[in-house]
Amino acid sequence: MNKIRALVVDDNMVNQTIHHRLLKNLGIENQVVKNGKEAVDVHSSGKYFDLILMDMDMPIMNGIEATRRLRAMGIRCMIAGVTTRSLDQEKQEFMEAGLDDYQEKPLTKAKLVSILHKINYTT
Amino acid sequence: MDRNHPQHQVLYMRRSLFDQGYIDREQFIQLEELQDDANPNFAEEIVTLFYTDSARLIQNIEQILVNKPIDFARLDDILHQFKGSSSSIGAKKVKEACTQLREYCCAENAEGCMRTLQVVKQEYAVLKRKLETYFQMVRQVG
């Protein structure tokens, strides 16, 4: 099984804990940060990930801006937007920032597995 | 099984949480499926986090609504967060009440916001009471 590393980017403690556990249960080592700036900083420190689960609405730096910055830094891994926003315009703006996938919250095991299959994950 | 048997009572209470629309069955089962020998109480731990988070958000909403002028943009952000965490644990009625409050917020209707906040608080209090009772019973059954 591939050793996938993931980064959870979400400001809400409930969602952080659920997403961390969902990934861990699937055997995926993961780190949690609480806003887009921390996501950028963790990459600037030299860490890399195979998957980023990016919330949209966060303080300091939101998911759209963080995604743009990461892509501008040359980060090419899978970035999946995970958000409660459902309007097409909002989704489009998020996708155009550089997402590879988009899932509406709440995140479930099935939604996570569908994201992971895009990076050749095998259960 | 005797109807008064604790396990039966746990099952009955669980089913009524779903049937009465307090908790989304699928989402709650998702949380329970994240439990294992190392984390046998994960669902209860997440729900406890939800209580802490909700208390903070309700306090923030109350503070916003007593200030003049009301910062409806900030209120909308907080309600978005509240909806998000409610949705993550499957708290259906709390989420619905937040949605209603958000509609009044978008319309910048202060009176509607204050009235609907009471509904949010009531739904949250009822859910908390029911879930605390449920998990207490679950722990007793073991």
Side-chain angles (χ1 to χ4, degrees), chain B residues 54-67 70 72 75 78-79 82 93-94 96-105 109-126:
Chain B
S54 301
R56 175 184 64 87
L57 292 170
I58 287 172
Q59 191 178 29
N60 287 347
I61 293 169
E62 285 175 326
Q63 282 172 353
I64 288 174
L65 290 179
V66 298
N67 285 333
I70 293 175
F72 287 106
L75 178 57
I78 290 172
L79 288 170
F82 205 168
K93 291 194 182 200
V94 174
E96 283 160 14
C98 286
T99 302
Q100 284 175 26
L101 177 45
R102 219 172 164 198
E103 285 172 11
Y104 282 114
C105 174
N109 181 332
E111 194 189 315
C113 285
M114 287 187 231
R115 202 170 53 241
T116 316
L117 174 60
Q118 300 314 309
V119 176
V120 171
K121 287 170 71 173
Q122 190 179 3
E123 291 294 355
Y124 168 68
V126 168

Side-chain angles (χ1 to χ4, degrees), chain A residues 12 15 17 21 57 84 106 109, chain B residues 30 34 36 39 53 80 88:
Chain A
N12 181 275
N15 293 328
T17 310
R21 187 99 199 110
D57 295 291
T84 49
K109 184 178 171 183
Chain B
Q30 286 278 326
L34 292 173
D36 54 25
N39 298 275
D53 201 43
H80 177 75
S88 292

Side-chain angles (χ1 to χ4, degrees), chain A residues 7-13 15-16 31-44 49 52-67 69-70 73 79 94 105, chain B residues 81:
Chain A
L7 179 68
V8 174
V9 190
D10 200 306
D11 63 323
N12 181 275
M13 262 194 328
N15 293 328
Q16 284 174 3
Q31 187 175 336
V32 178
V33 294
K34 57 182 186 291
N35 59 57
K37 184 177 182 305
E38 288 189 6
V40 170
D41 289 347
V42 81
H43 282 86
S44 297
F49 302 90
I52 302 172
L53 295 180
M54 183 75 80
D55 182 25
M56 187 157 108
D57 295 291
M58 294 177 287
I60 304 177
M61 187 187 292
N62 67 28
I64 292 175
E65 181 58 28
T67 303
R69 293 268 188 110
L70 289 170
M73 285 165 65
I79 304 179
F94 205 179
K105 280 180 184 171
Chain B
Q81 285 184 52

Side-chain angles (χ1 to χ4, degrees), chain A residues 15-104:
Chain A
N15 293 328
Q16 284 174 3
T17 310
I18 293 174
H19 296 173
H20 171 74
R21 187 99 199 110
L22 268 171
L23 286 162
K24 202 171 169 194
N25 267 25
L26 290 170
I28 295 169
E29 181 189 319
N30 67 97
Q31 187 175 336
V32 178
V33 294
K34 57 182 186 291
N35 59 57
K37 184 177 182 305
E38 288 189 6
V40 170
D41 289 347
V42 81
H43 282 86
S44 297
S45 74
K47 284 195 174 175
Y48 74 91
F49 302 90
D50 303 287
L51 167 67
I52 302 172
L53 295 180
M54 183 75 80
D55 182 25
M56 187 157 108
D57 295 291
M58 294 177 287
I60 304 177
M61 187 187 292
N62 67 28
I64 292 175
E65 181 58 28
T67 303
R68 283 194 193 119
R69 293 268 188 110
L70 289 170
R71 292 306 191 205
M73 285 165 65
I75 302 299
R76 292 288 168 257
C77 71
M78 159 80 76
I79 304 179
V82 183
T83 173
T84 49
R85 297 282 183 182
S86 56
L87 293 178
D88 288 341
Q89 191 183 346
E90 290 166 329
K91 280 186 207 175
Q92 192 178 351
E93 191 184 359
F94 205 179
M95 289 297 295
E96 285 172 357
L99 296 182
D100 298 292
D101 197 5
Y102 179 102
Q103 293 289 345
E104 279 189 36

